[in-house]
């Protein structure tokens, strides 16, 4: 969408930015934010973008532009769906707030440099570049040590690694397992169930009667098999 606008071949039409769509977008968007626990990122963007728009668009009455901002702009969809995408937002809460604030401030500033105009697509690209620069790039090769069935359909997977990585209790990691995957791909996010002081990585996984391809492959792993882990958040 950004390249089309840059070359003049087309433009992005944010059909979700309308009064008719607002109730649906707001409800669904907030449910998504709640599910992925990105309220701090969402609020950082909403506060800074609103302030930025009101400051840099002084030719409009405050209430009028605020009403149009919520009802007729794609700000709600952008904040709840586009900006909060887990794969392109920073891992830690502090960095997420910074990310939301940077994109929010830029979102409300009207400017252009030659053919480059400030659009939601442009601000998202700038934010994604920031996110990439501050996000961890390292990958851990984890070796399965043991698989314990804790209860019907519930398993504790214990992994070891030559490398150490710092994480806090309750943080999650991105787990990549090479296999013939379904439409969801070869990656999943699981919370690390072990203590940061331990030398082993534990994940607790519930495997339903009809598991995804990832959980089937995970369940089929044997001691000594490996997978990749990274993107601590």
């Amino acid at each position: 969408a950004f390249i089309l606008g840059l070359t003049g071949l087309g433009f992005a039409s944010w059909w979700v930015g309308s009064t008719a769509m607002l109730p649906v977008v707001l409800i669904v968007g907030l449910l998504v934010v709640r599910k992925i626990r990105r309220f701090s990122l969402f609020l950082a963007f909403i506060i800074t973008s609103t302030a930025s728009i009101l400051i840099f668009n002084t030719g409009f009455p405050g209430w009028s532009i605020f009403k149009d901002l919520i009802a007729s702009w794609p700000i709600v969809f952008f904040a709840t769906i586009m900006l909060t995408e887990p794969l392109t937002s920073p891992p830690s809460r502090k960095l997420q707030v910074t990310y939301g604030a940077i994109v929010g401030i830029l979102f409300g500033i009207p400017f252009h440099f030659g053919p480059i105009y400030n659009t939601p697509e442009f601000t998202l690209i700038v934010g994604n570049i920031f996110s990439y620069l501050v996000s961890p790039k390292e990958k851990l090769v984890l070796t399965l040590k043991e698989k314990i069935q804790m209860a019907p359909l519930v398993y504790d997977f214990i992994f070891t690694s030559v490398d150490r990585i710092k994480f806090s209790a309750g943080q999650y990691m991105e787990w990549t397992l090479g296999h013939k995957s379904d439409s969801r791909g070869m990656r999943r996010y699981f919370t690390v169930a072990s203590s940061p002081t331990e030398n082993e990585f534990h994940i607790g996984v519930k495997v339903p009667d009809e598991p995804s391809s990832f959980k089937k492959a995970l369940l089929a792993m044997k001691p000594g098999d490996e997978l990749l882990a990274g993107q601590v958040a």
Side-chain angles (χ1 to χ4, degrees):
F2 172 72
I3 292 174
L4 286 175
L6 184 64
T7 58
L9 297 176
F11 65 95
S13 177
W14 292 76
W15 56 270
V16 291
S18 66
T19 303
M21 288 295 298
L22 179 60
V24 176
V25 172
L26 184 61
I27 293 172
V28 174
L30 289 178
L31 287 175
V32 169
V33 173
R34 178 178 180 271
K35 177 67 175 179
I36 62 177
R37 301 178 182 180
R38 290 289 193 274
F39 270 110
S40 55
L41 168 57
F42 168 76
L43 290 174
F45 171 78
I46 288 294
I47 293 171
T48 54
S49 62
T50 300
S52 179
I53 290 170
L54 293 176
I55 291 172
F56 290 102
N57 292 270
T58 55
F60 297 89
W63 170 245
S64 175
I65 195 172
F66 181 77
K67 182 178 65 174
D68 291 341
L69 171 67
I70 300 299
S72 303
W73 286 26
I75 187 170
V76 175
F77 180 82
F78 184 90
T80 57
I81 305 298
M82 302 294 290
L83 190 68
T84 57
E85 164 58 45
L87 289 179
T88 53
S89 59
S92 68
R93 180 168 296 181
K94 183 177 180 180
L95 288 174
Q96 288 170 11
V97 171
T98 305
Y99 169 66
I102 290 173
V103 178
I105 293 171
L106 189 61
F107 191 87
I109 302 176
F111 68 85
H112 71 90
F113 300 104
I116 301 177
Y117 285 79
N118 190 17
T119 63
E121 300 82 40
F122 175 74
T123 60
L124 189 59
I125 288 174
V126 173
N128 288 167
I129 292 172
F130 167 80
S131 178
Y132 175 79
L133 292 175
V134 300
S135 295
K137 313 292 188 304
E138 67 271 13
K139 290 286 184 180
L140 287 175
V141 178
L142 301 182
T143 303
L144 181 65
K145 176 183 178 182
E146 191 176 2
K147 176 177 58 181
I148 303 173
Q149 185 169 2
M150 308 296 291
L153 305 180
V154 179
Y155 294 84
D156 178 23
F157 291 87
I158 305 172
F159 295 91
T160 59
S161 175
V162 176
D163 302 313
R164 291 294 302 271
I165 188 170
K166 295 181 180 180
F167 66 94
S168 300
Q171 289 187 323
Y172 65 81
M173 298 178 70
E174 178 190 75
W175 305 76
T176 304
L177 179 58
H179 68 286
K180 187 176 180 181
S181 64
D182 54 22
S183 59
R184 296 178 60 191
M186 296 188 295
R187 298 178 298 182
R188 296 291 189 276
Y189 286 89
F190 294 107
T191 299
V192 182
S194 50
S195 166
T197 61
E198 297 180 41
N199 295 323
E200 299 172 338
F201 291 87
H202 289 244
I203 56 171
V205 180
K206 182 177 181 180
V207 181
D209 293 329
E210 297 183 4
S212 64
S213 65
F214 186 95
K215 288 188 176 180
K216 283 182 181 178
L218 189 63
L219 197 60
M221 289 185 69
K222 299 177 181 179
D225 290 347
E226 296 178 341
L227 53 66
L228 294 177
Q231 185 83 25
V232 176

